[in-house]
C-alpha cells in the first residue's frame, strides 16, 4: 500500500474486501465502542449541550456566509503579526508552495504536526518526490507512515491496527528498536518518543495544519493530546501551516464555543491536554518565520451548493465515524479518501467532484441513512440530508447514459403513476412471487435479485393485496 | 375521528395483514377509517436513491389524494418521514410553487400509526391481547426522523399477556437502508446478522417494529438461518384479541 488514494475501487467493492478481515472488525468494534461510551458520558454532563451545538452551527454558518471578509481580515492580521499568507487554489499549488519554502530554508526534512489538510493534498508524497523527507510526529500518524499504510480514521489514523501489529511495524521500521520491545502501550509510546526526539531537535522546518484560525487576531489554533504538536510548533526555525479556508472563526469568543464542542465530541474529554495558539512570529520565542497557506481545493465549489455546504462546518471531531454502523464494519480505507465515514461520504465527493473517480459517486450511497451521525455531530451537520442530495447529483451527472437502474426506476415510477397501474404491478409481483416460491419462502435468486436474496429469504407475496381486501369488506 | 389510511405501496402489496390490523385497531377504538383509492407511493425509494425528478409526480399525486383528509395515518415510520421531512424538498426541486404550498398543507397532517394513537387519539391501552415473548426494534426513521421515543413501547407494554423484553443495542441500525440493502448488500447483511444475534439473545418469539421494510430484511436473515423467531408489524400485535 502507498500513501496515495488514486485508483480506489467503488465503495461496495472495497467494503466487501474489508468485511472479510475479521481482525479489522474486532479492532474497530473495540476502539469505536470505547470512544463512543466516553463521548456519551462527557456530553451528558452538559445540560446546555444542545444549545452549544446550535451555537457551533451558527458560528460556522455566519463565518461561511461572510467567508471572503473573514479571510481577508485573517490575512491582514497574520501579515501584521509578521507572518506570510499564501493562497492555494488546489493541492498541486499548495504542495508547490510548501516545497519552495522548504528549499528556501535550505532544508531536506520537515517534522509534521498531525493534519488532515496535508493528508488531503498528499503533501508527504509530493515532498518525497522533491527529495524532502517528512516525519509524522503524531503517534498514530507515525504508525501509519512507518507501516506504509493509509489513515483510516480522522482522529486515530491507525485505529485499524492493534498493539501487536504496531509492535511489528516498529520492529521492522524504527532504527534501533530490538526484539526486547513488547506490545505494552507505554513501551511503544516510549520507543516512538525516543525515535522522534532526534527529529525535533534537528529539523529546521515544521509543517502543520490548524483546527481553527481566529480572524480578528490572526491566531492559529492546534488542539492535540500528546504534546508532540507543540514541540513542532515551537522548536523549528520555520513553521508552515496548511489550512483549509473553512477553518475560520471570527473571534476568540466564537473559539470558546468550539473548544467546548471539539474535545467532548472527539476524544470524549472535557478538555484536550494541549491547545497551542500562535499569532505570526514573536522574536526570541518560537519559529522565526511563519507561513500560512490558505487552501481551497474544492471548498468554494462546496460552498456554492445550498445543501452540500453544511459539510464545511465540520470541525473534524470524528464523532460521526465512531457511531456509524457502516464505518464500524468496513473501516476507513473503503471510503477511498483521507476523510472516511459519514463526513467523508459527503465531503470527498464535493471536494473532488461527484464524478471525479470510481469511488466518489459511490460514497453518498455508503449509508443506510440511519441518522446516527446527525445525532452526534457537534455542529449539526444533517449528514443524511446531504447524502441524499449528493445521491441526486451522482444520478443526475449520469443522465443520458444507459443504466439498468434508471430503467428500473422509470418502470417503477410508471407503475406508481396511478392506482390502476399499481394494481397491474401488484398482480405481477403476486404471480412472480408464487412462481419463485418454495414452501412459502423465496430463496436465492440469480441476476439483479442476487444482492437481496443471497443471504435473505422473502415471504411469498400474498394473493390478495390490502386494497382488494378493503374492497371486498 | 375520521382517519384516512395511507397504507403505503409496500404494505399494500406485500403486507396486507398489517393494513388489516391497523383498520381493526382504529375501528375498535371507535374511529372511522377511509381508504382513498387513488393512493400509490410516497416516493421514498426514488428520492433516497437519487431520483428526485422522478419523485415529483408521486408527490403531486400524494397531495391530490390526501388533500381533503384531516388526519392521515400510515403504518410505516419511514414513509411518514419521507412525507413530512422530504416532500417539501421535492416540491422545491420541481420549482412548482403550487406544489410546495400543497405539501405544506398536507404533510403535517400525516402521522405514523403509534404517533396517532398516543398523541392524537390519546391512548396507550388499545385493548389488545398477545401472550408471547416480544422484543421491539426501534427503526432508525422512527427513532431519529419522527422521534417516536417511547410511544411504541408504551403501546406494547399495555398489551395484555405480552412479555416484552429489551433488545440489546436496540438503537443500532439493522442495515436495511432501502436500496442500500442491494447496492451495499455485503455491509447490509453484516449489520443485519449482528441484529439477528441480538434478537436471538433475547429469547423472544416475535421481533416487532413500526416498519415492515426493516422487518423484511431482518426476518429474511432469520428465515435463512432457520430460526423460528417470527417478525411482525407492531399493528398486528396491537390488533391481537383474546380467543
Ligand atoms: S461531520 Fe460533524 S461529527 Fe463528523 S467529524 Fe465533522 S464535526 Fe465531527
Amino acid at each position: 500500500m502507498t500513501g496515495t488514494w488514486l485508483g480506489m475501487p467503488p465503495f461496495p467493492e472495497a467494503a466487501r474486501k474489508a468485511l472479510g478481515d475479521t481482525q479489522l472488525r474486532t479492532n474497530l468494534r473495540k476502539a469505536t465502542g470505547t470512544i463512543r461510551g466516553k463521548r456519551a458520558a462527557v456530553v451528558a454532563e452538559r445540560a446546555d449541550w444542545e444549545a452549544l451545538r446550535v451555537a457551533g452551527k451558527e458560528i460556522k454558518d455566519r463565518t461561511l456566509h461572510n467567508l471572503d471578509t473573514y479571510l481577508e481580515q485573517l490575512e491582514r492580521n497574520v501579515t501584521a503579526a509578521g507572518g506570510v499568507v499564501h493562497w492555494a487554489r488546489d493541492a498541486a499549488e499548495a504542495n508547490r508552495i510548501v516545497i519552495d519554502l522548504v528549499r528556501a530554508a535550505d532544508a531536506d526534512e520537515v517534522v509534521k504536526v498531525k493534519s488532515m489538510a496535508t493528508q488531503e493534498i498528499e503533501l508527504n508524497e509530493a515532498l518525497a518526490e522533491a527529495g524532502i523527507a517528512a516525519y509524522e510526529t503524531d503517534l498514530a500518524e507515525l504508525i501509519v507512515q512507518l507501516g506504509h499504510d493509509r489513515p483510516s480514521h480522522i482522529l486515530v489514523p491507525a485505529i485499524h491496527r492493534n498493539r501487536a501489529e504496531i509492535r511489528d511495524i516498529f520492529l521492522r521500521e524504527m532504527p534501533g528498536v530490538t526484539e526486547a520491545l513488547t506490545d505494552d502501550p507505554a513501551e511503544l509510546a516510549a520507543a516512538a518518543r525516543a525515535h522522534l526526539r532526534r527529529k525535533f531537535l534537528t529539523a529546521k522546518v515544521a509543517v502543520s495544519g490548524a483546527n481553527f484560525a481566529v480572524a480578528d487576531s490572526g491566531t492559529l489554533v492546534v488542539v492535540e493530546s500528546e504534546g508532540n504538536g507543540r514541540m513542532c510548533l515551537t522548536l523549528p526555525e520555520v513553521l508552515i501551516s496548511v489550512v483549509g479556508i473553512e477553518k475560520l472563526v471570527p473571534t476568540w469568543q466564537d473559539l470558546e464555543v468550539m473548544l467546548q464542542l471539539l474535545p467532548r465530541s472527539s476524544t470524549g474529554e472535557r478538555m484536550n491536554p494541549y491547545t497551542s495558539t500562535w499569532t505570526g512570529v514573536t522574536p526570541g520565542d518560537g519559529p522565526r518565520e511563519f507561513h500560512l497557506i490558505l487552501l481551497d481545493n474544492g471548498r468554494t465549489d462546496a460552498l456554492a451548493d445550498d445543501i452540500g455546504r453544511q459539510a464545511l462546518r465540520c470541525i473534524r471531531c470524528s464523532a460521526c465515524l465512531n457511531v456509524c454502523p457502516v464505518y464500524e464494519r468496513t473501516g476507513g480505507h473503503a471510503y477511498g479518501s483521507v476523510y472516511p465515514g459519514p463526513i467523508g461520504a459527503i465531503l470527498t465527493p464535493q471536494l473532488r467532484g461527484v464524478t471525479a473517480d470510481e469511488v466518489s459517486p459511490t460514497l453518498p450511497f455508503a449509508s443506510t441513512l440511519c441518522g446516527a451521525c446527525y445525532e452526534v455531530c457537534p455542529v449539526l451537520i444533517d449528514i443524511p440530508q446531504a447524502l441524499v442530495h449528493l445521491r441526486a447529483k451522482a444520478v443526475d451527472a449520469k443522465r443520458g447514459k444507459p443504466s439498468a437502474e434508471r430503467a428500473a426506476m422509470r418502470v417503477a415510477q410508471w407503475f406508481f403513476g396511478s392506482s390502476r397501474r399499481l394494481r397491474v404491478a401488484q398482480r405481477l409481483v403476486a404471480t412472480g412471487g408464487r412462481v419463485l416460491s418454495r414452501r412459502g419462502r423465496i430463496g436465492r435468486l440469480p441476476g439483479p435479485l442476487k444482492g437481496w436474496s443471497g443471504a435473505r429469504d422473502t415471504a411469498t407475496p400474498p394473493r390478495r393485496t390490502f386494497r382488494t381486501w378493503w374492497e371486498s369488506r | 375521528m375520521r382517519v384516512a389510511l395511507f397504507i403505503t405501496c409496500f404494505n399494500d402489496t406485500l403486507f396486507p395483514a398489517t393494513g388489516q390490523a391497523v383498520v381493526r385497531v382504529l375501528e375498535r377504538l371507535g374511529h372511522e377509517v377511509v381508504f382513498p383509492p387513488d393512493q400509490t407511493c410516497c416516493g421514498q425509494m426514488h428520492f433516497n436513491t437519487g431520483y428526485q425528478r422522478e419523485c415529483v409526480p408521486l408527490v403531486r399525486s400524494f397531495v391530490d389524494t390526501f388533500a381533503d383528509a384531516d388526519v392521515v395515518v400510515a403504518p410505516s415510520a419511514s414513509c411518514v418521514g419521507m412525507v413530512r421531512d422530504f416532500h417539501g424538498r421535492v416540491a422545491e426541486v420541481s420549482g412548482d410553487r403550487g406544489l410546495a404550498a400543497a405539501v405544506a398543507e398536507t404533510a403535517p397532517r400525516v402521522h405514523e400509526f403509534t404517533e396517532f394513537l398516543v398523541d392524537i387519539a390519546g391512548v396507550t391501552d388499545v385493548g389488545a391481547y398477545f401472550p408471547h415473548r416480544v422484543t421491539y426494534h426501534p427503526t432508525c426513521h422512527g427513532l431519529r426522523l419522527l422521534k417516536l421515543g417511547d410511544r411504541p413501547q408504551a403501546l406494547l407494554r399495555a398489551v395484555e399477556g405480552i412479555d416484552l423484553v429489551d433488545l440489546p443495542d436496540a438503537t443500532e441500525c439493522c442495515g436495511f437502508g432501502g436500496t442500500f440493502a442491494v447496492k451495499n448488500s455485503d455491509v447490509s447483511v453484516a449489520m443485519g446478522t449482528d441484529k439477528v444475534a441480538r434478537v436471538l439473545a433475547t429469547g423472544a418469539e416475535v421481533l416487532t417494529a413500526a416498519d415492515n421494510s426493516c422487518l423484511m430484511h431482518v426476518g429474511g436473515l432469520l428465515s435463512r438461518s432457520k430460526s423460528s423467531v417470527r417478525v411482525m408489524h407492531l399493528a398486528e400485535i396491537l390488533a391481537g384479541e383474546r380467543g
Side-chain angles (χ1 to χ4, degrees):
Chain A
M1 222 188 255
T2 67
T4 173
W5 296 97
L6 271 178
M8 284 294 289
F11 182 83
E13 209 176 291
R16 187 176 316 131
K17 236 187 252 145
L19 284 169
D21 185 343
T22 47
Q23 178 69 58
L24 172 74
R25 275 170 78 179
T26 315
N27 294 357
L28 275 172
R29 170 159 303 193
K30 208 166 150 230
T32 56
T34 310
I35 201 158
R36 263 204 307 260
K38 279 176 75 182
R39 177 205 161 271
V42 295
V43 162
E45 289 174 357
R46 293 292 301 248
D48 59 349
W49 183 252
E50 290 310 312
L52 267 176
R53 292 174 80 199
V54 172
K57 166 190 188 287
E58 285 174 356
I59 289 166
K60 278 292 189 178
D61 277 347
R62 176 159 48 89
T63 313
L64 292 168
H65 212 82
N66 303 292
L67 194 57
D68 49 346
T69 315
Y70 289 124
L71 280 168
E72 284 174 2
Q73 191 187 9
L74 178 78
E75 180 182 37
R76 272 197 309 278
N77 289 327
V78 169
T79 311
V84 184
V85 176
H86 310 257
W87 299 84
R89 187 166 302 140
D90 54 23
E93 225 172 79
N95 286 333
R96 205 175 50 242
I97 297 168
V98 178
I99 292 168
D100 288 348
L101 290 169
V102 176
R103 285 191 176 141
D106 207 17
D108 59 4
E109 59 176 35
V110 301
V111 284
K112 282 193 68 206
V113 183
K114 177 175 166 14
S115 132
M116 295 306 295
T118 59
Q119 290 280 6
E120 175 190 323
I121 61 175
E122 302 189 348
L123 176 65
N124 291 3
E125 290 70 29
L127 287 174
E129 232 166 81
I132 301 163
Y135 298 97
E136 294 290 351
T137 64
D138 172 83
L139 179 56
E141 206 71 83
L142 176 68
I143 295 164
V144 169
Q145 190 182 33
L146 291 178
H148 309 287
D149 199 352
R150 283 187 288 234
S152 71
H153 188 277
I154 293 177
L155 176 73
V156 197
I159 198 166
H160 56 289
R161 298 288 194 194
N162 63 19
R163 287 191 280 161
E165 292 173 294
I166 294 167
R167 175 190 176 265
D168 291 345
I169 293 170
F170 281 11
L171 204 56
R172 216 170 46 230
E173 303 285 337
M174 233 179 230
V177 167
T178 67
E179 280 287 344
L181 182 73
T182 72
D183 65 2
D184 175 52
E187 255 191 64
L188 292 172
R193 190 172 310 129
H195 171 73
L196 290 173
R197 178 117 319 161
R198 290 189 287 277
K199 298 297 167 198
F200 288 135
L201 296 175
T202 55
K204 263 166 74 179
V205 180
V207 178
S208 83
N211 293 93
F212 304 100
V214 186
D216 82 342
S217 64
T219 305
L220 277 91
V221 183
V222 160
V223 167
E224 48 143 356
S225 297
E226 296 166 358
N228 289 344
R230 177 163 293 178
M231 303 274 270
C232 295
L233 296 169
T234 49
L235 288 176
E237 289 168 23
V238 179
L239 172 61
I240 305 168
S241 301
V242 183
V243 179
I245 53 171
E246 85 286 17
K247 293 275 129 189
L248 263 70
V249 289
T251 67
W252 280 75
Q253 233 175 350
D254 301 318
L255 179 66
E256 181 243 30
V257 172
M258 297 301 167
L259 289 182
Q260 295 184 67
L261 288 168
L262 181 55
R264 283 177 200 259
S265 301
S266 182
T267 48
E269 294 168 302
R270 298 188 184 102
M271 206 181 160
N272 47 285
Y274 295 86
T275 302
S276 302
T277 68
W278 68 99
T279 311
V281 290
T282 309
D285 180 13
R288 285 201 300 255
E289 233 180 83
F290 168 55
H291 297 270
L292 169 61
I293 302 174
L294 289 167
L295 176 72
D296 184 333
N297 207 31
R299 285 160 176 77
T300 46
D301 292 338
L303 193 57
D305 185 316
D306 64 341
I307 290 186
R309 70 168 66 117
Q310 57 186 318
L312 298 179
R313 292 206 293 261
C314 175
I315 56 172
R316 312 278 188 265
C317 72
S318 66
C320 59
L321 278 61
N322 299 331
V323 297
C324 178
V326 175
Y327 175 87
E328 185 183 310
R329 285 166 183 85
T330 65
H333 291 154
Y335 293 80
S337 150
V338 61
Y339 302 111
I343 181 59
I346 62 170
L347 193 59
T348 304
Q350 295 199 82
L351 294 182
R352 290 185 189 164
V354 77
T355 53
D357 47 36
E358 274 205 86
V359 64
S360 293
T362 65
L363 290 176
F365 296 91
S367 163
T368 61
L369 306 178
C370 81
C373 46
Y374 183 28
E375 212 170 40
V376 297
C377 177
V379 285
L380 288 171
I381 300 174
D382 189 343
I383 295 176
Q385 182 202 40
L387 285 166
V388 169
H389 171 71
L390 293 168
R391 288 177 184 188
K393 280 197 148 181
V395 165
D396 288 344
K398 284 199 218 128
R399 282 188 196 267
K401 286 184 209 132
S403 136
E405 181 186 278
R406 187 165 42 251
M409 287 289 171
R410 286 260 163 82
V411 170
Q413 185 204 0
W414 187 85
F415 278 124
F416 290 145
S418 76
S419 57
R420 201 171 35 81
R421 291 184 200 157
L422 179 59
R423 275 174 204 274
V424 176
Q426 289 175 327
R427 271 197 297 278
L428 290 173
V429 169
T431 317
R434 221 152 287 283
V435 170
L436 299 169
S437 170
R438 299 279 172 279
R439 285 186 293 276
R441 302 261 124 201
I442 302 170
R444 279 194 183 78
L445 299 172
L449 298 170
K450 205 166 117 195
W452 171 261
S453 66
R456 312 170 186 96
D457 289 340
T458 310
T460 313
R463 258 176 226 287
R464 270 207 318 191
T465 62
F466 174 82
R467 65 181 74 221
T468 44
W469 172 80
W470 177 267
E471 283 153 4
S472 70
R473 281 178 100 206
Chain B
M1 213 175 298
R2 190 182 159 97
V3 177
L5 176 62
F6 172 44
I7 183 66
T8 77
C9 64
F10 187 73
N11 286 323
D12 186 7
T13 311
L14 298 175
F15 301 97
T18 297
Q20 290 163 21
V22 170
V23 173
R24 199 168 313 136
V25 173
L26 293 176
E27 290 184 345
R28 195 164 70 203
L29 294 170
H31 302 290
E32 182 197 348
V33 181
V34 294
F35 181 76
D38 290 341
Q39 60 180 280
T40 60
C41 168
C42 67
Q44 181 178 198
M45 176 181 76
H46 285 93
F47 185 77
N48 282 353
T49 312
Y51 295 82
Q52 294 190 357
R53 292 187 210 169
E54 283 79 357
C55 204
V56 176
L58 302 179
V59 171
R60 200 166 273 141
S61 118
F62 184 90
V63 294
D64 286 347
T65 305
F66 291 100
D68 298 329
D70 291 331
V71 177
V72 182
V73 170
S76 162
S78 69
C79 299
V80 172
M82 173 65 202
V83 172
R84 283 219 302 252
D85 286 26
F86 303 117
H87 273 192
R89 177 65 186 175
V90 177
E92 201 180 313
V93 168
S94 77
D96 178 346
R97 293 251 186 92
L99 183 59
V103 166
E105 269 290 304
T106 325
R109 286 188 262 124
V110 181
H111 305 279
E112 186 274 332
F113 182 56
T114 66
E115 219 176 36
F116 170 81
L117 290 175
V118 176
D119 296 355
I120 297 179
V123 288
T124 45
D125 186 349
V126 299
Y129 174 70
F130 193 78
H132 298 283
R133 177 173 262 227
V134 175
T135 193
Y136 170 76
H137 167 58
T139 60
C140 299
H141 289 173
L143 186 72
R144 301 194 183 90
L145 270 188
L146 303 186
K147 309 232 181 316
L148 292 180
D150 194 40
R151 291 176 187 83
Q153 288 98 321
L155 288 159
L156 289 169
R157 273 195 298 268
V159 172
E160 196 189 334
I162 199 169
D163 175 14
L164 186 65
V165 289
D166 284 341
L167 180 64
D169 298 315
T171 57
E172 183 170 301
C173 178
C174 72
F176 172 64
T179 45
F180 178 86
V182 179
K183 280 177 176 281
N184 279 288
S185 59
D186 299 281
V187 186
S188 170
V189 167
M191 290 166 68
T193 305
D194 290 343
K195 186 59 79 179
V196 161
R198 280 155 194 154
V199 171
L200 295 177
T202 65
E205 301 157 68
V206 175
L207 167 69
T208 192
D211 273 285
N212 272 327
S213 48
C214 307
L215 287 177
M216 183 172 84
H217 161 69
V218 182
L221 292 164
L222 280 163
S223 165
R224 185 63 58 86
S225 69
K226 303 264 178 292
S227 160
S228 62
V229 177
R230 285 180 294 155
V231 296
M232 200 181 253
H233 192 281
L234 175 142
E236 294 171 43
I237 293 178
L238 298 185
E241 277 162 21
R242 211 178 255 284

